[in-house]
Amino acid sequence: MSDVKEPGRADDGTMRPHSSHWGAFRAGWRNGTLVVEPHPADPDPSPILQNFPQALRHRARIATPMVRRGWLERGPGPDRMRGRDEFVSVPWDKALDLLAGELGRVRDAHGPAAIFGGSYGWSSAGRFHHAQSQVHRFLNTVLGGYVRSVNSYSAGASAVILPHVIGPMDPVAKRNVTWEQIVEHTGLCLSFGGMAVKNSAVASGGVSKHIERPSMKAAAERGCRFVLIGPLKDDLPEEARAEWLQIQPGTDTALMLGMAHTLVTERLHDTAFLAQFCVGYEKFEPYVLGQTDGQPKDAAWASAVCGVPANIIAQLARDAAGTRTLISMAHSLQRSEHGEQPVWMAVVLAAMLGQHGLPGGGFNYALGSIAHYGKRNAAVPIGSLPQGRNTVPDFIPVARISDLLLKPGQPFDYNGQERRYADIKLVYWAGGNPFHHHQDLARLRRAFQAVDTLVVHETAWTATARHADIVLPCTMTLEREDIGGSSQDDLLVAMHRLAEPYGLARDDFAIFADLAARLGKEEAFTEGRDAQGWLRHLYEKTRAAMEARGDKTLSFEEFWEAGELKLPMDEDDGGIIRAFRNDPENEPLPTPSGKIEVFSETIDGFGYADCPGHPTFIPYGDVPNGEKPLWLVANQPATRLHSQLDFGGTSENSKRRGREVMRLHPADAAARGIAEGDIVRMFNERGACLAAASLSEALMPGVVQLATGAWYDPADPAEDNPLCVHGNPNVLTRDVGTSRLAQGCTGQLTTLQVEKFTGNLPPIRAWDPPAG
Ligand SMILES: Nc1nc2c(c(=O)[nH]1)N[C@H]1C(S)=C(S)[C@@H](COP(=O)(O)OP(=O)(O)OC[C@H]3O[C@@H](n4cnc5c(=O)[nH]c(N)nc54)[C@H](O)[C@@H]3O)O[C@H]1N2
Ligand SMILES: Nc1nc2c(c(=O)[nH]1)N[C@H]1C(S)=C(S)[C@@H](COP(=O)(O)OP(=O)(O)OC[C@H]3O[C@@H](n4cnc5c(=O)[nH]c(N)nc54)[C@H](O)[C@@H]3O)O[C@H]1N2
Ligand SMILES: [Mo]
């Protein structure tokens, strides 16, 4: 790192365009410091941008290729030493020779179905250097494929349930109700899990204008009433002027059933809409009325389950029937046990209200959870790296990674199919951090011990890199050129290079190109293009589409010089749901019946008790009890994207005594003798972590919150289940699927106990490079 010759390091203050998942920005060097300024058009930029300056040259970056000592000395094979061993620095040529040899061995001995390249993760903004796209293209074009993962940690349950009942996730979330419609039309917004502006800070691929806060402000000023239903008051911004209904986690379906019961018994439900646009309502109403199970789902029942007073539930139903009502639901509700149910129930409730397809009304899944939703869509395509062909049919629902590695050959259910886990020998990860995203990290460690080889491309020493056998250092976006853009943003950004690579770091593309050459497939991987060639190739897709529409376009050189290209956006037309409402005969929904499915014959036919044929309240299994009296909400962090740049300034400054801050209600703190700023131990039967306590009345009593993203930091890596001294909630969460239908991630909620930590405070080492 001593020989860095940053472009512009002359400190001339020149600001160059760049982009990130958390905003478009400009950056340049002044007095030897990287200065980052938000894009001037952004009305509400994210503080996450300020993670960059400190992160760029932080010691947590990886400087050279590294090989785990045990793997180097003993070769591939299952090994308990993963995550406990030393690393040996090796030259690039040697690292690539070793890796190419191992990839060839696994391919020849076991075939590509022995390689897991699911490689889930957000990577970085930039259409070309997107690491997950790079690794998938490499595995397809060079090795013939890999065992993949389907769906996401974000929306594991909804991605599977929504197509059965209303349509694919994209039209329900991304092309449906816009913020423009809300500002103009919405009378009542029932916001399940809120729409925290810290979450809409982020959009995969980039976002140039954060409009959520100003939109909620404008809507509220016009008279839109926001009701926040959730355990945390600050899941909606002050500007929404929301009423807060405190609800027991995991019980939203019961609340909505209580509203449905009121609608039916007071004849407020839209029978004409249900008859014309839905199927199966007649099988659902008897359940609501208690005719099928003896339990009417009335407001009193719902109240006893969810904690919201019965009169408020009933009144909410009446109010919702009397105005333009929008139901928004955070991703979080379905990232938990039976997460399919609240999503389906919200679809049905909006149907009972007759609101689907009306401007500013109906159900918009995940609105406000992320900055893609509630926007217009780009009218032209944005280039992305072609993935090649994967010849391996095997896949896992993404959050079944530990099961895959621990249960080779064993059966699992998914969306009506019985499948088997493949037998994986080699795991290749680029652009994701399973020690951030996965649950029950002690189990994940065991799972990674079972394979022959774990390969990780990383920019920094994440816990995943520390558990790898071969670690290859990669550039950050600031160290390379790329094109930033997403289909829900009107700016394509020329991401200029701001710095030389850290140490010996290389671009993922360059690494894969060299590996491909060693395996005799360079041309298949690169198609004869270098990075610049690919940027021009990807840009041309957008430019040509604009030209075909008759829009003014820029040549690649002009685009690069200007720093950005303004994209044409589509009409705000409400997408397939509006089209269906306007013309149900000719614009059927892409469901089996072509209508909204209140009852699904397909799902019913699967015979899953944990996901029956209509929305059903299924009590949570993992509920607070004597030993674990508290709920843990493990939600998204305000100060970073997931685990990315945890070592950046905004993230580090939010910690106390180096630990992640957890929040709890003053009453829960008092009962445990915990004061503001105390270090606490959070624990259950799966694991324990330390965090710094902060007392807040923004949480309901009985609920504590610890955001995700603090890097896993084992007190003693030699132990099987060490204490995490930094505050990673995934040592506590459960590794179980949402149901047999979707098998989605359930990391949002679990139960635990919290106590004041009185021992000697262990040091934080998560950001120190490992011994080697
Ligand atoms: N308990 C609990 N767990 C959760 C959640 C929760 O709510 N609760 N939320 C879940 C959700 S919604 C998600 S999406 C996941 C997120 O999980 P991930 O997407 O895996 O998390 P990130 O931290 O974004 O991981 C991206 C990694 O890619 C690396 N990276 C960035 N750029 C590059 C590059 O150019 N090249 C290479 N090689 N690497 C790069 C970063 O350093 C980082 O380590 O977490 C999930 N986990
Ligand atoms: N700053 C920042 N923004 C992000 C991300 C990030 O890492 N950092 N990650 C992005 C990604 S990949 C995704 S998928 C989205 C995730 O978006 P979400 O999943 O919606 O976000 P979370 O913050 O995990 O959860 C939102 C809130 O849901 C509430 N909640 C939890 N359980 C329940 C429940 O049972 N009922 C109700 N009513 N409410 C509940 C909690 O109070 C929590 O604060 O966020 C995106 N935005
Ligand atoms: Mo996500």
Side-chain angles (χ1 to χ4, degrees):
M1 87 159 270
S2 54
D3 62 351
V4 283
K5 291 185 286 298
E6 324 287 5
R9 194 71 193 256
D11 285 347
D12 61 0
T14 307
M15 299 300 276
R16 293 180 168 80
H18 208 79
S19 191
S20 67
H21 293 313
W22 43 94
F25 64 98
R26 283 146 197 211
W29 292 92
R30 284 186 208 138
N31 305 323
T33 305
L34 184 75
V35 178
V36 171
E37 289 171 0
H39 192 283
D42 193 339
D44 190 21
S46 166
I48 300 178
L49 278 177
Q50 299 307 331
N51 276 329
F52 277 121
Q54 175 172 311
L56 183 63
R57 292 304 179 244
H58 196 278
R59 67 181 187 285
R61 294 290 307 275
I62 306 173
T64 72
M66 294 282 229
V67 181
R68 185 171 67 78
R69 185 174 293 285
W71 193 93
L72 197 59
E73 290 172 357
R74 295 187 296 278
D79 196 341
R80 276 195 78 249
M81 286 305 287
R82 271 186 200 110
R84 301 168 155 106
D85 216 345
E86 290 182 352
F87 282 91
V88 181
S89 166
V90 297
W92 269 110
D93 272 345
K94 177 158 185 200
L96 296 175
D97 287 345
L98 285 169
L99 178 50
E102 174 62 358
L103 290 168
R105 178 191 75 85
V106 173
R107 176 197 54 196
D108 297 344
H110 308 283
I115 299 176
F116 181 67
S119 199
Y120 181 81
W122 266 57
S123 311
S124 284
R127 308 300 300 187
F128 173 62
H129 289 289
H130 186 251
Q132 204 193 129
S133 307
Q134 291 280 348
V135 67
H136 291 164
R137 177 177 170 83
F138 169 78
L139 294 172
N140 283 338
T141 56
V142 176
L143 297 165
Y146 58 94
V147 175
R148 69 191 200 283
S149 62
V150 297
N151 308 328
S152 63
Y153 278 78
S154 317
S158 46
V160 179
I161 189 87
L162 283 171
H164 286 295
V165 303
I166 182 165
M169 209 179 94
D170 266 10
V172 181
K174 275 189 186 161
R175 201 191 185 99
N176 185 357
V177 178
T178 58
W179 288 107
E180 294 164 77
Q181 293 173 35
I182 295 167
V183 169
E184 196 178 339
H185 298 286
T186 308
L188 170 65
C189 176
L190 296 181
S191 182
F192 287 89
M195 300 187 278
V197 289
K198 60 131 172 103
N199 284 356
S200 49
V202 162
S204 169
V207 46
S208 64
K209 285 169 279 301
H210 293 90
I211 60 165
E212 288 75 5
R213 189 197 310 266
S215 300
M216 282 187 249
K217 181 168 191 281
E221 282 171 356
R222 200 251 312 137
C224 174
R225 174 182 166 208
F226 287 90
V227 177
L228 164 63
I229 300 154
L232 264 56
K233 186 175 183 215
D234 39 21
D235 285 332
L236 274 183
E238 290 284 329
E239 288 83 350
R241 303 180 191 167
E243 296 150 48
W244 177 30
L245 297 186
Q246 303 186 13
I247 189 169
Q248 285 297 317
T251 64
D252 303 82
T253 306
L255 182 140
M256 286 184 273
L257 283 165
M259 290 178 68
H261 188 277
T262 305
L263 292 176
V264 177
T265 52
E266 300 187 9
R267 305 204 184 288
L268 295 171
H269 59 314
D270 190 333
T271 49
F273 185 90
L274 290 166
Q276 190 182 2
F277 296 100
C278 304
V279 293
Y281 178 72
E282 70 288 350
K283 293 195 176 140
F284 176 65
E285 195 184 274
Y287 168 71
V288 173
L289 296 176
Q291 293 159 356
T292 47
D293 61 358
Q295 175 59 65
K297 310 302 175 302
D298 56 21
W301 166 83
S303 174
V305 173
C306 76
V308 176
N311 60 330
I312 290 185
I313 297 174
Q315 190 56 42
L316 208 53
R318 294 175 199 126
D319 294 348
T323 184
R324 180 63 51 83
T325 296
L326 172 66
I327 301 174
S328 74
M329 182 169 285
H331 277 308
S332 54
L333 273 82
Q334 53 82 67
R335 198 179 305 110
S336 69
E337 266 185 60
H338 311 299
E340 295 84 358
Q341 301 309 316
V343 176
W344 196 355
M345 186 60 218
V347 171
V348 169
L349 183 58
M352 293 177 75
L353 293 167
Q355 295 278 333
H356 285 287
L358 294 175
F363 171 60
N364 198 115
Y365 174 69
L367 183 74
S369 275
I370 213 163
H372 292 295
Y373 309 143
K375 306 283 178 72
R376 293 180 186 229
N377 288 245
V380 288
I382 299 177
S384 61
L385 190 67
Q387 298 291 281
R389 200 170 86 80
N390 188 348
T391 62
V392 177
D394 301 69
F395 66 83
I396 55 163
V398 66
R400 299 278 52 82
I401 172 71
S402 293
D403 283 347
L404 167 71
L405 302 180
L406 291 168
K407 300 176 176 179
Q410 292 190 33
F412 67 96
D413 287 303
Y414 172 71
N415 203 11
Q417 308 164 33
E418 184 171 303
R419 307 189 63 94
R420 280 181 192 281
Y421 291 118
D423 188 358
I424 299 297
K425 302 293 180 201
L426 184 143
V427 175
Y428 207 130
W429 227 288
N433 185 3
F435 276 86
H436 165 77
H437 64 234
H438 199 56
Q439 287 56 64
D440 195 347
L441 293 181
R443 184 166 189 256
L444 181 70
R445 291 184 103 199
R446 282 206 307 284
F448 278 141
Q449 288 165 9
V451 297
D452 286 358
T453 300
L454 172 58
V455 188
V456 173
H457 287 203
E458 251 302 347
T459 58
W461 277 113
T462 60
T464 305
R466 286 165 210 267
H467 285 77
D469 300 306
I470 300 180
V471 181
L472 300 180
C474 296
T475 51
M476 287 173 57
T477 64
L478 295 166
E479 298 160 343
R480 61 196 186 216
E481 296 180 336
D482 212 330
I483 297 174
S486 105
S487 299
Q488 285 71 39
D489 197 81
D490 68 356
L491 272 198
L492 198 68
V493 181
M495 297 169 62
H496 284 220
R497 194 158 66 91
L498 271 307
E500 292 292 324
Y502 180 79
L504 299 180
R506 302 183 68 198
D507 298 348
D508 295 278
F509 171 73
I511 299 168
F512 286 127
D514 279 0
L515 281 172
R518 280 171 169 76
L519 290 156
K521 295 272 193 176
E522 186 176 11
E523 175 67 24
F525 176 70
T526 66
E527 292 179 23
R529 292 187 193 95
D530 60 8
Q532 260 278 328
W534 275 103
L535 293 187
R536 286 168 186 273
H537 180 70
L538 298 184
Y539 176 76
E540 180 55 21
K541 190 168 180 192
T542 306
R543 196 206 62 79
M546 284 177 68
E547 189 174 77
R549 285 171 38 102
D551 297 328
K552 183 180 170 324
T553 65
L554 301 176
S555 70
F556 183 80
E557 285 72 19
E558 289 165 339
F559 163 60
W560 207 257
E561 176 69 29
E564 61 192 41
L565 174 70
K566 190 123 175 122
L567 302 177
M569 302 304 277
D570 272 346
E571 291 301 304
D572 182 12
D573 64 1
I576 63 166
I577 298 173
R578 177 91 48 86
F580 168 62
R581 185 181 187 112
N582 291 341
D583 187 357
E585 296 307 316
N586 294 308
E587 300 282 351
L589 291 173
T591 59
S593 59
K595 298 184 177 186
I596 294 168
E597 305 222 344
V598 178
F599 182 94
S600 162
E601 299 285 350
T602 310
I603 294 176
D604 187 56
F606 296 158
Y608 297 150
D610 55 5
C611 190
H614 60 67
T616 304
F617 174 69
I618 309 174
Y620 225 78
D622 178 24
V623 283
N625 59 29
E627 280 176 18
K628 300 182 294 171
L630 299 169
W631 282 107
L632 170 66
V633 169
N635 61 354
Q636 314 303 312
T639 56
R640 59 191 168 251
L641 170 67
H642 311 140
S643 68
Q644 297 199 28
L645 313 187
D646 185 30
F647 48 94
T650 304
S651 174
E652 179 168 26
N653 291 338
S654 73
K655 306 200 187 220
R656 288 206 206 158
R657 292 154 86 186
R659 329 277 139 167
E660 195 65 21
V661 174
M662 64 82 77
R663 297 191 300 167
L664 75 174
H665 190 274
D668 292 321
R672 291 165 178 78
I674 295 168
E676 179 73 24
D678 279 351
I679 301 298
V680 294
R681 183 172 160 267
M682 307 173 69
F683 61 99
N684 61 21
E685 70 274 30
R686 280 172 298 282
C689 69
L690 302 184
S694 178
L695 279 45
S696 169
E697 297 199 340
L699 292 94
M700 59 190 274
V703 172
V704 306
Q705 179 241 337
L706 175 65
T708 56
W711 283 13
Y712 176 67
D713 195 347
D716 179 2
E719 284 179 17
D720 285 336
N721 192 0
L723 171 76
C724 169
V725 302
H726 189 193
N728 183 327
N730 276 325
V731 298
L732 301 160
T733 52
R734 289 190 319 151
D735 185 9
V736 294
T738 51
S739 78
R740 291 161 73 194
L741 183 86
Q743 299 278 11
C745 163
T746 57
Q748 178 78 196
L749 296 175
T750 192
T751 55
L752 82 173
Q753 181 58 288
V754 177
E755 66 184 14
K756 187 169 166 167
F757 180 73
T758 50
N760 290 331
L761 207 50
I764 305 278
R765 289 173 304 192
W767 302 336
D768 297 336

